Amino acid sequence: MIFSEVIGQKHILERLRYIAQHEKIPHALLFTGSEGSGKLATALAFAQYINCLQPKEHDSCNQCSSCHKFSHLIHPDLHFVFPIYKGSRTSAVCDDFIQEWRDFVLLSPYFNSSDWYDVVAEDKGQPTIYADEAHEIIRKISIKNYEAKYKIIIIYQPERMHIATANKLLKVLEEPPPSTVFILISAQPELLLSTIVSRCQVIKFPTVDDVSLSEFLEKKYPQASTQDIHQSVILSGGNVPQAIRLLEKHESTRHYFTYFVQMVRMAYEINRKKPKTEEQIKWVQEVIQFSKEEQKEFLIYCLRFIRDNFLINLNVRSIIFQSKEEQEFSQKFSPFMPFSTAYPIFQHISKAIYHLERNGNPRIVFTDLIYKISLHF
Ligand SMILES: [Zn+2]
């Protein structure tokens, strides 16, 4: 990770560059601020920068051997402490999960903690930094640096540390080992021991600004419209992974909208005794290419769309959120969705979901659905 890959946070990056170039590197830094604001991404970029063998004025070279190892998170002097879930094991330390952690962070250092919990605990329990980790931290700081100027210990969510580990960390921070930099990353610093906080240089991250977030999304999703990007940025409140999720959801929803419109048009033609068989075969062929999960998601989208149009038919609009194209289509479609039509269609779609969940043949389920819906136009 290099500084130029961090989204926004211009002032913080300037401050960190200044520290690296003109000041003594602090023994401990505490990055606070809401989730999705880029604390981990910045910590990784800072760690790489202060260890880069040929740093440039504004960024790491990203080419030297140190940069190479830092960017792949495999530098022997780069250590991570993060919440894990040991399940039925009697003991567990972070290094037992280091490969999962590396793969996860390399995918993107922008994530919400619940995303990591899904990987490590899958709803089975509360991820924690256990008491066993205290010994690990002591062991890691007592060995000599292999090659880096600064040994880096990144502690993600230190507020999840067992009290024994927190006390041990406090001891370490009281007598900091040489050439070692701790970077603590916490969205809830109020849960930390105040004695730990007071030994850290605290850097508070604001949420990512709208302009930087928009620019990032435009680059990552060149196909997305300005309106969709704008909407994701506003709804995310400056949380990067949330903005990505909203935009991706929107993209897949748009794709479902197109398939929904095609489906009701085909059903209408069948009802008028003018079935477009070739079109139907092509449509079914495409829909069954979706993953099983997407097929279900598409049907749930259809349910929502039918419900919305039934409500528009009743003139209840206040609880409906639709995109511009959905609104335009609904203007013409909703007059055909009184209760007597919407209800049976709703039931047919629900049944299709039921059959898919029980491994019904998707080709038959979707073909059947078009014909069932055609009975109600
Ligand atoms: Zn370098």
Side-chain angles (χ1 to χ4, degrees):
M1 193 77 193
I2 54 176
F3 285 137
S4 64
E5 289 170 325
V6 174
I7 306 165
Q9 308 298 11
K10 206 169 133 236
H11 298 296
I12 288 179
L13 300 189
E14 270 167 20
R15 171 95 193 95
L16 289 171
R17 272 188 215 112
Y18 188 86
I19 291 176
Q21 290 162 2
H22 304 283
E23 295 178 3
K24 194 168 173 295
I25 309 276
H27 296 294
L29 288 155
L30 169 60
F31 289 178
T32 69
S34 55
E35 292 216 327
S37 56
K39 301 184 291 298
L40 179 60
T42 306
L44 293 169
F46 181 67
Q48 182 168 334
Y49 187 63
I50 60 175
N51 279 303
C52 174
L53 304 175
Q54 296 152 324
K56 303 205 165 53
E57 193 189 338
H58 293 289
D59 221 329
S60 310
C61 76
N62 213 19
Q63 283 172 347
C64 67
S65 62
S66 171
C67 280
H68 179 79
K69 290 173 196 165
F70 268 96
S71 62
H72 290 83
L73 312 180
I74 50 169
H75 199 291
D77 294 309
L78 172 65
H79 303 280
F80 291 101
V81 177
F82 44 84
I84 53 173
Y85 179 64
K86 63 181 174 185
S88 55
R89 305 181 197 203
T90 49
S91 73
V93 292
C94 296
D95 279 359
D96 297 337
F97 295 85
I98 192 68
Q99 201 49 52
E100 285 92 334
W101 172 260
R102 280 191 191 126
D103 292 347
F104 183 75
V105 175
L106 285 173
L107 219 55
S108 168
Y110 285 90
F111 54 84
N112 289 326
S113 53
S114 56
D115 302 329
W116 168 244
Y117 298 168
D118 285 346
V119 172
V120 83
E122 299 167 354
D123 273 346
K124 287 185 209 121
Q126 273 294 352
T128 305
I129 297 169
Y130 296 102
D132 301 317
E133 204 61 39
H135 308 289
E136 276 297 290
I137 294 175
I138 301 297
R139 187 181 66 77
K140 284 172 180 169
I141 58 166
S142 54
I143 45 174
K144 221 171 143 260
N145 289 13
Y146 286 98
E147 50 189 55
K149 199 168 163 195
Y150 298 99
K151 183 184 294 177
I152 307 288
I153 303 185
I154 294 180
I155 307 184
Y156 177 73
Q157 291 199 322
E159 66 274 14
R160 287 196 168 247
M161 270 189 293
H162 187 278
I163 186 68
T165 315
N167 280 323
K168 206 56 127 221
L169 177 67
L170 178 61
K171 277 242 166 64
V172 170
L173 295 181
E174 276 167 353
E175 288 171 53
S179 314
T180 300
V181 179
F182 284 87
I183 308 178
L184 280 59
I185 293 170
S186 176
Q188 293 177 292
E190 65 282 3
L191 300 179
L192 292 170
L193 293 178
S194 59
T195 40
I196 287 186
V197 176
S198 67
R199 278 178 175 77
C200 297
Q201 180 163 337
V202 181
I203 297 190
K204 190 164 172 14
F205 282 61
T207 53
V208 176
D209 66 284
D210 291 357
V211 175
S212 305
L213 187 48
S214 301
E215 283 172 2
F216 164 76
L217 292 173
E218 277 162 17
K219 232 193 226 164
K220 190 170 160 75
Y221 300 94
Q223 314 290 346
S225 73
T226 314
Q227 196 202 353
D228 293 346
I229 287 180
H230 181 72
Q231 199 176 345
S232 311
V233 168
I234 299 294
L235 293 175
S236 73
N239 176 326
V240 175
Q242 183 65 7
I244 291 173
R245 205 162 298 162
L246 285 162
L247 192 61
E248 284 182 351
K249 194 84 208 157
H250 195 84
E251 287 293 296
S252 65
T253 310
R254 176 203 304 285
H255 163 78
Y256 293 156
F257 169 72
T258 310
Y259 281 98
F260 175 82
V261 172
Q262 289 169 350
M263 178 175 76
V264 292
R265 289 215 168 114
M266 288 184 298
Y268 180 80
E269 300 291 344
I270 293 170
N271 188 284
R272 294 284 171 286
K273 306 269 184 284
K274 292 178 193 158
K276 293 191 168 158
T277 319
E278 264 176 47
E279 214 175 287
Q280 278 168 40
I281 294 170
K282 186 171 167 279
W283 183 90
V284 171
Q285 193 55 36
E286 285 174 15
V287 171
I288 64 174
Q289 298 300 317
F290 296 176
S291 72
K292 211 177 153 189
E293 210 39 52
E294 286 168 342
Q295 291 174 12
K296 218 176 94 183
E297 220 175 72
F298 166 60
L299 291 175
I300 292 171
Y301 172 84
C302 295
L303 284 178
R304 201 209 78 196
F305 203 83
I306 296 288
R307 182 208 70 159
D308 287 353
N309 278 272
F310 164 61
L311 291 172
I312 295 169
N313 186 287
L314 289 178
N315 227 351
V316 182
R317 285 167 191 273
S318 57
I319 54 166
I320 299 166
F321 297 96
Q322 285 189 313
S323 69
K324 207 163 156 252
E325 44 188 355
E326 286 174 332
Q327 275 172 20
E328 283 167 7
F329 182 76
S330 293
Q331 261 178 9
K332 292 171 267 164
F333 186 67
S334 59
F336 296 97
M337 283 299 120
F339 182 77
S340 55
T341 309
Y343 183 66
I345 291 182
F346 203 88
Q347 281 190 314
H348 294 314
I349 299 171
S350 302
K351 253 189 205 146
I353 295 174
Y354 177 89
H355 290 304
L356 283 182
E357 279 173 347
R358 273 148 198 83
N359 291 322
N361 180 329
R363 191 185 299 276
I364 296 172
V365 172
F366 282 105
T367 308
D368 182 56
L369 183 63
I370 302 173
Y371 281 89
K372 291 258 172 65
I373 292 177
S374 78
L375 300 172
H376 304 281
F377 281 108

